[in-house]
Every structure is written in C-alpha cells, then in structure tokens.
Amino acid sequence: MTTKTVTNNTKALQQLTQEQIQAERCRRSFYYFFKTFWDVIIPEKFTDNWHIKYLCDELQEVMTRVFNRQESLHDLVVNIPPGTSKTTIATVMLPAWSWIIDPTVRAMTASYSAQLSADHSVKSRDIIKSDKFKRLFPGLSIRQDFDNKTHYKNNRNGERFATSLKGTATGFHAHVIIIDDPLNPKEASSEVEHENANQFFKSTIPTRKIDKAV
C-alpha cells in the first residue's frame, strides 16, 4: 500500500466520522436538522432567530411522545406572523426529521389549498432525496413504486399523505396530523369558510388518527 493510498483512506475515514457525528446531531436535535437541511430547499441564506429554536424544541417534544406512542397531552397551535418559517419548520422539515427517528411514522398534512399541500409535501420529499440526506442516512429512502407528490412511502413502512380541507382523507390514518393555514387569507372573514375549517377539525381529523389517545 502506497503512502498516497494510506492518506486517501485516512481522509475517507475522517469524512465518514464527521458525517456520522452530523447524522447523530440531527437525530438528537430537530433544530440542528432544520439548520442542516435549510439550504437544500431554501435558496435564501438562513437567518436565525430565537423563535426558530423555540418552535423546533416544542415540536420535538410533541413528536417524542408520538415516537413513544404516548398519550397526547394537548394539540400544539402555532400562531406567528407570515414569513417566519412556520411552514418550513412544521410542515416541510418535521415530517422528514421524524423518519430519521422513527421511519414507521405516518403523517398527514393539510392546508386550505391542495396545490399548497402538494408543494409542502414535495419539499419534504426533496430533502429525503437530496445527496446530503442520502449521505447522512443511507438506510432510508423513498420507495420507487410509491412516490407521488401528495402520497409517498419510505422503505421502512413510513408514509406521508398530503390533502386539503376540501379534499379527501378517506382510507388514510396517521400518527401525526399537521394542519398548515386552514383558511385562505383572502377568505379569512368568511363565516362559511370558518365553518368548513371547524368541521374539518371536528369531523374529519378525529377519524384519521391511528390511535386517538396519541
């Protein structure tokens, strides 16, 4: 074995070690995962703020109960101004992160618009299909035979289904349900749209849970 070969092998081992460390940090901290994969889907430079870590930590606490199939203490309602990364954190990043902890998690996401829900779902899928994700978590991938924009599965029995408040959720049950912007801002003053959103929460959501206690 030549000196050059030994040097190359050492560099490869060092790189592998760094990736293993990075992968473990992602598993332990949703906030770290969020920052690590920001540039995969967002072209603008990441600007941190205290609310981002706070929200990530709150969501990690909720998901930890889901991973352990523990009884839910409460739902989590997030009210923060537009443009503060709520959707990127909760609807795009969180489902992807959940799979590196528990790849069997089934998630349902919904918004007022079917296209909006699909866009969020695709961004999550882009993270999982990215070279960075494949390097850090090589054992997890999207199934080639079940890979749609709004409904896809991984190779470990996990699943993501995206719908809208006016769409269908029949036949799908989830461990975690994420509702992102149930009302179109342009229709926020409509009593009809308010009632439609309330009915979705009251009638549809309770029937879509795998375990109602969780």
Side-chain angles (χ1 to χ4, degrees):
M1 182 179 294
T2 66
T3 302
K4 183 177 180 180
T5 302
V6 171
T7 303
N8 288 341
N9 287 342
T10 300
K11 289 182 178 179
L13 289 173
Q14 289 174 342
Q15 180 65 28
L16 179 61
T17 301
Q18 288 301 314
E19 289 181 350
Q20 288 175 330
I21 292 172
Q22 190 173 24
E24 184 60 26
R25 292 187 69 184
C26 284
R27 293 186 184 96
R28 295 188 183 193
S29 170
F30 173 45
Y31 172 62
Y32 183 83
F33 177 92
F34 172 80
K35 293 190 298 180
T36 298
F37 285 92
W38 170 271
D39 63 357
V40 172
I41 57 169
I42 306 295
E44 290 76 26
K45 182 180 178 181
F46 174 66
T47 301
D48 207 350
N49 190 52
W50 69 268
H51 81 280
I52 293 177
K53 184 178 188 304
Y54 182 86
L55 180 54
C56 285
D57 290 347
E58 288 291 313
L59 287 166
Q60 180 166 341
E61 183 178 332
V62 170
M63 288 306 301
T64 298
R65 292 200 298 274
V66 174
F67 299 148
N68 295 326
R69 306 300 189 262
Q70 294 175 329
E71 184 175 347
S72 175
L73 302 178
H74 53 74
D75 291 329
L76 182 63
V77 180
V78 180
N79 289 308
I80 56 177
T84 50
S85 300
K86 168 180 57 67
T87 293
T88 303
I89 294 171
T91 312
V92 176
M93 293 280 193
L94 188 66
W97 176 77
S98 71
W99 277 359
I100 70 173
I101 310 298
D102 182 355
T104 68
V105 164
R106 280 178 271 169
M108 185 177 89
T109 58
S111 183
Y112 67 83
S113 162
Q115 184 58 54
L116 195 60
S117 294
D119 290 345
H120 299 160
S121 178
V122 168
K123 285 184 177 180
S124 291
R125 188 180 64 170
D126 288 345
I127 291 172
I128 298 164
K129 287 186 170 184
S130 69
D131 291 338
K132 183 185 292 186
F133 192 96
K134 291 176 182 178
R135 289 196 308 271
L136 297 182
F137 313 105
L140 186 62
S141 61
I142 302 291
R143 280 175 47 177
Q144 293 183 359
D145 62 338
F146 211 115
D147 183 5
N148 303 306
K149 288 183 178 181
T150 59
H151 195 184
Y152 47 84
K153 297 181 180 181
N154 66 31
N155 60 334
R156 304 283 295 280
N157 297 319
E159 200 166 350
R160 165 77 178 265
F161 177 72
T163 186
S164 68
L165 269 68
K166 296 179 181 179
T168 179
T170 305
F172 187 83
H173 295 83
H175 296 105
V176 60
I177 300 172
I178 302 169
I179 312 300
D180 191 327
D181 292 330
L183 287 174
N184 184 334
K186 295 180 180 179
E187 301 172 344
S189 61
S190 168
E191 290 298 326
V192 173
E193 294 303 322
H194 279 204
E195 183 57 29
N196 288 339
N198 286 334
Q199 284 301 117
F200 186 79
F201 278 97
K202 293 176 182 177
S203 303
T204 302
I205 294 303
T207 67
R208 298 301 94 202
K209 299 175 182 178
I210 291 175
D211 186 334
K212 290 178 175 57
V214 176

